[in-house]
């Protein structure tokens, strides 16, 4: 009988833990129609992560649904270490590899093999593409030679793993589809693209396929590489969408980017429901600021906006437009074509005439400003959204000087000035050096840590380091968090706000572009109401986590 152990993963997710990959896939396939309020289900090695709306369901409701479904299933294999074999008629993808990875010799020594023996074993078996995760095109490959099962991850993840890297960790092999952080052991690199939005099927490998690796050195010139699979240039992962100096015929209004600042991206509310393709939600980090900016100019709440980090954005208006800026506290400068300074402030509609220049100064508090224009930014959606996912490389490219941004058609029936009074002012964002307290829910892997480590998580101050970005905030504290349980955690789904603890003991707080799955234990997760504030915490600020209750399994 399948009976999942249900654990909290924040206040909007439940992690169902099972005994094996077989059980996990069987329960996932049996779930069928989802209750209203269940937004997504993310399968992984031995878990299902269920994302739900707390306003519609409770964690106990979700746990009851999972257990009722599990109780109706026929028992499957009790072998928690095994993996199902792919059907013999499943599509086979052969992936050529140059075995020259940074960790190749270290892994060979760990296994007591020569380099040649390791390569022979890694290329000597078929793998099953079991489930997608981490990023689009990243598929967990089960099976292979048993010697690779249980390979530990690195003590601390690399900040950058190159696209095409072939790696092993836990019981799986995989190929990194794009440049990204990662903690797997690197054996080699393939010149093939694992994810390409220009292909009819963007993912080279999908769950259910068979995969076999081939040694390029052994194959020599006899192994030809299809051109469409070659890896993109390092700066080509993010695809542009309807912007740039060569944009189509001039609309009634557009904006020229005079300076993009440190980073300016197009964002909306993201891509829900695409986790089966390995695509996470992404979207604006401060979703409340996005909604507020759109509300002020009279747009729908999910209209695309510009997310500017650390100021420095300069825009010239070509035509007439109404904009609003929300989020971080920064000086707003509005200058006419004749050089006259006009009064301007965030949180209110700003009417711009032809030639007016808008500039955002460096924030005095917070990190990110959001710029909405009445009618929205006319940007072509990618997979149903205009959001830029920096980890996955999906969506419009970051803005550059010289880009032209077209303005969409303004909605009827709502005037910008009419909505200003309804916009409640958010609390001020934190300043550099400030102490910020975030409420968290312990779990799902709090039991991997001692009571002393849980006390340290809540009592110690954690400083935001410069290595932070849209994927997550890297934190450092005087004392690292130590585990009470050793060994490797099979990869499992993660949520925005998750506090993941690598072997170094210095936690990472996941933000909107976090990996879909991860293999380091998550000690807790920031509650939903604090995520927008977390997105505005600057480098150098101090954090303290406040558990809202003790960790416990969700019982019937």
């Amino acid at each position: 009988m399948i009976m999942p152990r249900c654990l909290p993963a924040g206040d909007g997710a439940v992690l169902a833990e099972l005994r094996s990959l077989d059980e996990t896939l069987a329960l996932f396939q049996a779930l069928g129609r989802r209750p209203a309020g269940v937004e997504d289900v993310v399968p992984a090695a031995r878990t299902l992560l269920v994302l739900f709306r707390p306003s519609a369901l409770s964690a106990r409701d979700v746990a009851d649904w999972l257990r009722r479904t599990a109780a109706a299933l026929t028992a499957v294999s009790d072998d928690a270490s095994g993996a199902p074999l792919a059907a013999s008629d499943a599509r086979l993808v052969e992936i050529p590899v140059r075995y020259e990875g940074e960790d190749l010799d270290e892994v060979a020594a760990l296994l007591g093999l020569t380099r040649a023996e390791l390569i022979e074993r890694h290329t000597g078996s078929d793998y099953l593409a079991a489930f997608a995760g981490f990023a689009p095109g990243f598929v967990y490959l089960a099976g292979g030679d048993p010697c690779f099962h249980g390979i530990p991850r690195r003590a601390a993840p690399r900040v950058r793993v190159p696209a095409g890297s072939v790696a092993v960790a836990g019981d799986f092999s995989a190929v990194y589809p794009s440049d990204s952080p990662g903690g797997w052991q690197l054996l080699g690199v393939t010149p093939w693209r694992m994810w390409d939005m220009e292909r009819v099927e963007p993912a080279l490998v999908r769950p259910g396929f068979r995969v076999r690796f081939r040694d390029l050195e052994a194959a020599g010139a006899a192994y030809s590489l299809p051109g469409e699979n070659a890896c993109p240039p390092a700066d080509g992962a993010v695809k542009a969408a309807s912007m740039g100096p060569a944009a189509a015929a001039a609309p009634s209004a557009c904006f020229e980017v005079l300076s993009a600042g440190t980073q300016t991206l197009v964002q909306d509310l993201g891509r829900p429901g695409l986790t089966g393709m390995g695509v996470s939600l992404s979207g604006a980090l401060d979703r409340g600021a996005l909604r507020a900016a759109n509300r002020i100019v009279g747009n729908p709440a999910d209209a695309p906006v510009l997310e500017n980090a650390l100021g420095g954005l300069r825009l010239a208006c070509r035509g007439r437009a109404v904009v609003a800026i929300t989020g971080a506290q920064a000086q707003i400068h509005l200058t006419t074509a004749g050089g006259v300074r006009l009064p301007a402030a965030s949180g209110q509609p700003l009417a711009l005439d032809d030639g007016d220049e808008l500039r955002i100064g460096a924030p005095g508090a917070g990190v990110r400003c959001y710029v909405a224009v009445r009618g929205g930014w006319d940007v072509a959606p990618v997979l149903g959204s205009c959001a830029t996912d920096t980890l996955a490389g999906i969506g419009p490219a970051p803005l550059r000087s010289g880009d032209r941004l077209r303005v969409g058609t303004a909605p009827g029936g709502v005037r910008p000035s009419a909505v200003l009074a309804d916009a409640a002012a958010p609390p001020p964002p934190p300043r550099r050096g400030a102490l910020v307290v975030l409420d968290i829910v312990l779990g799902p892997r709090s039991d991997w840590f001692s009571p002393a480590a849980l006390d340290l998580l809540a009592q110690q101050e954690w400083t935001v380091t410069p290595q932070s970005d849209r994927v997550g905030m890297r934190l450092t504290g005087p004392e690292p968090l130590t585990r009470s349980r050793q060994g490797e955690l099979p990869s499992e789904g993660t949520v925005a706000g998750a506090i993941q603890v690598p072997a170094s003991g210095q936690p990472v707080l996941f933000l909107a572009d976090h990996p879909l799955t991860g293999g380091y234990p998550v000690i807790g997760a920031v509650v939903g109401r604090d995520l927008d504030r977390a997105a505005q915490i600057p480098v150098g600020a101090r954090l303290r986590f406040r558990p809202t209750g003790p960790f416990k399994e969700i019982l019937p």
Side-chain angles (χ1 to χ4, degrees), residues 242-555:
S242 297
M243 63 175 63
S252 57
C254 69
F255 282 77
E256 181 182 353
V257 179
L258 304 180
S259 173
T262 302
Q263 184 187 67
T264 301
L265 306 171
V266 179
Q267 295 294 349
D268 56 20
L269 294 179
R271 298 178 177 85
L274 297 181
T275 55
M277 296 175 59
V279 178
S280 61
L281 180 63
S282 186
L285 290 186
D286 187 341
R287 298 165 77 83
L290 175 146
R291 290 187 177 98
N294 277 323
R295 183 170 59 242
I296 291 169
V297 298
N299 285 342
D302 60 350
V305 304
L306 304 182
E307 180 184 86
N308 167 250
L310 303 176
L313 176 64
R314 292 174 55 214
L315 300 172
C317 184
R318 308 305 183 203
R320 302 181 68 182
V322 176
V323 302
I325 300 172
T326 59
Q329 290 184 348
Q331 283 197 330
I332 311 301
H333 304 273
L334 180 57
T335 308
T336 69
V340 178
R341 287 282 303 272
L342 300 176
S346 61
Q348 64 181 22
L350 303 174
L352 276 63
D353 287 325
D354 185 52
D356 287 355
E357 180 181 319
L358 184 68
R359 180 169 64 89
I360 299 176
V367 179
R368 296 170 174 88
C369 290
Y370 292 82
V371 184
V373 63
R374 181 161 171 78
W377 301 104
D378 186 11
V379 175
V382 178
L383 296 178
S385 168
C386 298
T388 300
D389 185 331
T390 59
L391 178 64
I394 296 176
L399 265 62
R400 297 177 299 177
S401 297
D403 283 349
R404 283 181 174 264
L405 298 170
R406 294 175 290 184
V407 177
T409 302
V414 180
R415 295 171 52 189
S417 59
V419 298
L420 179 60
D422 297 331
R431 296 179 178 273
R432 182 180 178 89
L435 175 62
V436 182
V437 179
L438 299 176
D439 287 341
I440 65 171
V441 174
L442 291 176
R445 299 301 176 190
S446 301
D447 54 353
W448 278 56
F449 299 86
S450 66
L454 296 180
D455 289 341
L456 184 65
L457 172 71
Q459 295 171 7
Q460 181 169 270
E461 292 182 1
W462 303 92
T463 303
V464 180
T465 72
Q467 288 71 41
S468 303
D469 55 19
R470 278 184 51 89
V471 175
M473 288 192 293
R474 291 177 180 255
L475 308 176
T476 184
E479 292 186 54
L481 299 172
T482 57
R483 300 182 190 177
S484 59
R485 180 174 172 180
Q486 301 306 315
E488 290 294 311
L489 178 70
S491 294
E492 57 192 28
T494 61
V495 299
I499 305 166
Q500 190 182 68
V501 185
S504 66
Q506 301 292 350
V508 178
L509 174 57
F510 281 160
L511 298 177
D513 288 355
H514 67 89
L516 190 61
T517 59
Y520 297 108
V522 171
I523 194 171
V526 175
V527 300
R529 65 176 178 273
D530 281 355
L531 286 178
D532 288 349
R533 189 153 58 103
Q536 294 289 2
I537 298 174
V539 170
R542 297 167 294 137
L543 295 187
R544 180 168 286 166
F545 297 115
R546 180 169 58 196
T548 57
F551 167 75
K552 59 182 179 180
E553 183 178 354
I554 301 169
L555 300 174

Side-chain angles (χ1 to χ4, degrees), residues 38-413:
V38 171
E39 297 186 325
D40 213 341
V41 182
V42 182
R46 297 177 194 170
T47 58
L48 295 176
L49 180 70
V50 181
L51 308 175
F52 66 93
R53 292 195 310 275
S55 60
L57 292 170
S58 69
R60 180 167 294 183
D61 292 333
V62 173
D64 289 345
W65 169 57
L66 291 168
R67 291 185 175 119
R68 285 195 307 269
T69 306
L73 285 174
T74 302
V76 296
S77 170
D78 290 334
D79 181 5
S81 64
L85 295 177
S88 59
D89 60 348
R91 185 189 299 186
L92 174 64
V93 178
E94 296 189 345
I95 299 177
V97 181
R98 294 188 181 94
Y99 283 93
E100 53 188 27
E102 295 180 45
D103 304 315
L104 180 65
D105 292 329
E106 184 177 338
V107 173
L110 176 68
L111 299 178
L113 303 173
T114 66
R115 175 184 285 213
E117 289 171 336
L118 183 150
I119 296 171
E120 182 179 4
R121 294 201 183 193
H122 196 250
T123 57
S125 303
D126 285 359
Y127 295 80
L128 165 67
F131 56 91
F134 182 71
F138 190 101
V139 179
Y140 290 79
L141 305 176
D145 193 293
C147 77
F148 294 106
H149 296 176
I151 296 291
R153 291 173 176 79
R154 294 176 56 82
R158 289 182 170 92
V159 175
R160 177 183 175 273
V161 174
S165 294
V166 178
V168 294
D171 293 340
F172 298 96
S173 289
V175 183
Y176 282 81
S178 59
D179 292 355
S180 65
W184 288 35
Q185 306 286 357
L186 307 183
L187 302 185
V189 64
T190 178
W192 284 19
R193 293 178 190 259
M194 301 305 295
W195 176 269
D196 186 347
M197 289 291 296
E198 295 181 359
R199 288 195 298 242
V200 175
E201 296 182 359
L204 182 65
V205 175
R206 292 186 297 171
F209 287 12
R210 288 183 298 141
V211 172
R212 183 178 282 264
F213 294 106
R214 297 297 190 191
D215 182 8
L216 262 178
E217 183 176 343
Y223 206 107
S224 61
L225 300 176
E228 72 163 359
N229 282 328
C231 281
D235 62 350
V238 180
K239 299 181 183 300
S242 297
M243 63 175 63
S252 57
C254 69
F255 282 77
E256 181 182 353
V257 179
L258 304 180
S259 173
T262 302
Q263 184 187 67
T264 301
L265 306 171
V266 179
Q267 295 294 349
D268 56 20
L269 294 179
R271 298 178 177 85
L274 297 181
T275 55
M277 296 175 59
V279 178
S280 61
L281 180 63
S282 186
L285 290 186
D286 187 341
R287 298 165 77 83
L290 175 146
R291 290 187 177 98
N294 277 323
R295 183 170 59 242
I296 291 169
V297 298
N299 285 342
D302 60 350
V305 304
L306 304 182
E307 180 184 86
N308 167 250
L310 303 176
L313 176 64
R314 292 174 55 214
L315 300 172
C317 184
R318 308 305 183 203
R320 302 181 68 182
V322 176
V323 302
I325 300 172
T326 59
Q329 290 184 348
Q331 283 197 330
I332 311 301
H333 304 273
L334 180 57
T335 308
T336 69
V340 178
R341 287 282 303 272
L342 300 176
S346 61
Q348 64 181 22
L350 303 174
L352 276 63
D353 287 325
D354 185 52
D356 287 355
E357 180 181 319
L358 184 68
R359 180 169 64 89
I360 299 176
V367 179
R368 296 170 174 88
C369 290
Y370 292 82
V371 184
V373 63
R374 181 161 171 78
W377 301 104
D378 186 11
V379 175
V382 178
L383 296 178
S385 168
C386 298
T388 300
D389 185 331
T390 59
L391 178 64
I394 296 176
L399 265 62
R400 297 177 299 177
S401 297
D403 283 349
R404 283 181 174 264
L405 298 170
R406 294 175 290 184
V407 177
T409 302

